[in-house]
Amino acid sequence: MTFDLSVAIPTYNGADRLPKLLEKLRSQFDTDRFSWEILIIDNNSTDSTAALIQAIQQNWNFPYPLRYCFEPEQGLAFARNRGITEAQGELVAFLDDDNHPDPDWVAQAYQFAQNHPQAGAFGGQIHGEFAISPPTNFKRIESFLAIRERGSEPHLYQPQHLSLPPGAALVVRRQVWLDNVPKRLHLVGRIQGSMLAGEDYEALLYIHRAGWEIWYNSAMHTYHQIPPHRLEKSYLVSLIRGSSLCLCYLRMLNAKHWQKPLIFLRMILGSSKRLLQHWLKSRRYPQTDLVATCEWEFLQSSLLSPFYYLLNLFPKKAEPERDISSKSA
């Protein structure tokens, strides 16, 4: 069976968060003019996510089905790719398990796709719902928490400048993704052993390279639930580092060969200049200024990004196995 739209929800240990999100999806209106489904992608959870969804399915009496699949390979890139594979909708609308949609979000996503047939992907407005008040001037760094408030008019993003929507609350045409996004991305998300983020931007750059448009749909509203620990310095610095070290790789992805040395040099010179300017300005800030600290981390990691790109350009060769057959036991 095929649907017009699949809402795909990648989740890791989301048993406490999924019920509220499913409640928001059960409250969607104006969806009777198209067919849709909800798909949970369990990304190797160790909590009761599977049992929770199974229990909800037993009492599910809605015209849109609730399905479940398990993705054992850890990482958001793998979970989203699994969602694309398992989805039965022509459109796949991703929602993180902590991203709550407005009651017309699904209908707005479907309608925008009908009105913009050249849109291979699009995102909407993402507002922050903070459990505690964020620090002063937090708006300067809120985009690292996937908050997007770009005004009331729809418009094209600019992928050539890495102006793109985040993977949270992203809608894509399933066949466009299947035709253009590799099964395994270079950037796999924040998993153990890797700080690199940017997997959502990498997928979108492949879609853009194939000639599809990437749009901002101002009529789609979701609300990112941000608990207190996500405003702690250690979390934000780590988040920003992972989001910045991948910048050179992303800029190189769709560049021509002759452009790459120029990009490499421009990133080093530009980041060095901005880092110096920030250092001169930040002497006015107290050492406890969280926003200034995060901005410093962004600029510093951006400067390191070209070298990180070179370090990861070639896969490391496996060490040859030692011959121990001649050694005594």
Side-chain angles (χ1 to χ4, degrees), residues 51-250:
L52 170 75
I53 299 303
Q54 185 178 23
I56 294 175
Q57 286 174 322
Q58 291 176 354
N59 299 299
W60 191 261
N61 296 312
F62 297 91
Y64 39 91
L66 172 65
R67 296 196 297 123
Y68 170 94
C69 67
F70 185 82
E71 172 50 55
E73 195 159 12
Q74 199 78 53
L76 194 49
F78 303 119
R80 287 199 178 117
N81 251 327
R82 182 62 181 272
I84 290 289
T85 302
E86 295 285 342
Q88 296 175 356
E90 294 180 8
L91 298 168
V92 179
F94 287 108
L95 280 175
D96 288 355
D97 61 17
D98 59 357
N99 206 269
H100 295 170
D102 261 357
D104 64 343
W105 187 81
V106 173
Q108 292 288 358
Y110 173 78
Q111 191 58 52
F112 191 85
Q114 309 314 303
N115 295 342
H116 298 80
Q118 280 303 113
F122 53 92
Q125 299 203 50
I126 304 178
H127 312 284
E129 284 197 342
F130 297 89
I132 60 174
S133 298
T136 304
N137 297 324
F138 190 77
K139 275 195 169 293
R140 301 208 309 250
I141 60 169
E142 68 179 10
S143 62
F144 289 105
L145 290 175
I147 295 173
R148 295 291 188 277
E149 296 170 333
R150 297 171 59 94
S152 59
E153 295 297 324
H155 55 261
L156 283 166
Y157 274 98
Q158 296 180 300
Q160 67 276 19
H161 301 302
L162 295 188
S163 171
L164 291 163
L170 177 72
V171 184
V172 300
R173 296 187 190 274
R174 179 173 181 268
Q175 196 59 51
V176 170
W177 182 297
L178 288 172
D179 290 345
N180 298 290
V181 179
K183 294 294 183 184
R184 295 186 71 87
L185 295 170
H186 177 78
L187 305 173
V188 297
R190 300 175 190 90
I191 57 176
Q192 188 173 4
S194 174
M195 293 189 302
L196 282 184
E199 71 286 343
D200 42 3
Y201 277 26
E202 183 180 1
L204 288 170
L205 287 171
Y206 282 115
I207 291 172
H208 170 66
R209 185 164 71 182
W212 291 89
E213 296 172 348
I214 314 294
W215 277 81
Y216 166 76
N217 177 11
S218 55
M220 288 166 46
H221 294 263
T222 57
Y223 302 85
H224 188 190
Q225 308 303 299
I226 301 174
H229 80 270
R230 290 192 178 180
L231 295 180
E232 293 175 0
K233 177 181 175 181
S234 58
Y235 176 86
L236 286 170
V237 166
S238 177
L239 173 72
I240 290 170
R241 183 182 302 123
S243 300
S244 307
L245 286 174
C246 64
L247 289 176
C248 185
Y249 173 80
L250 292 171

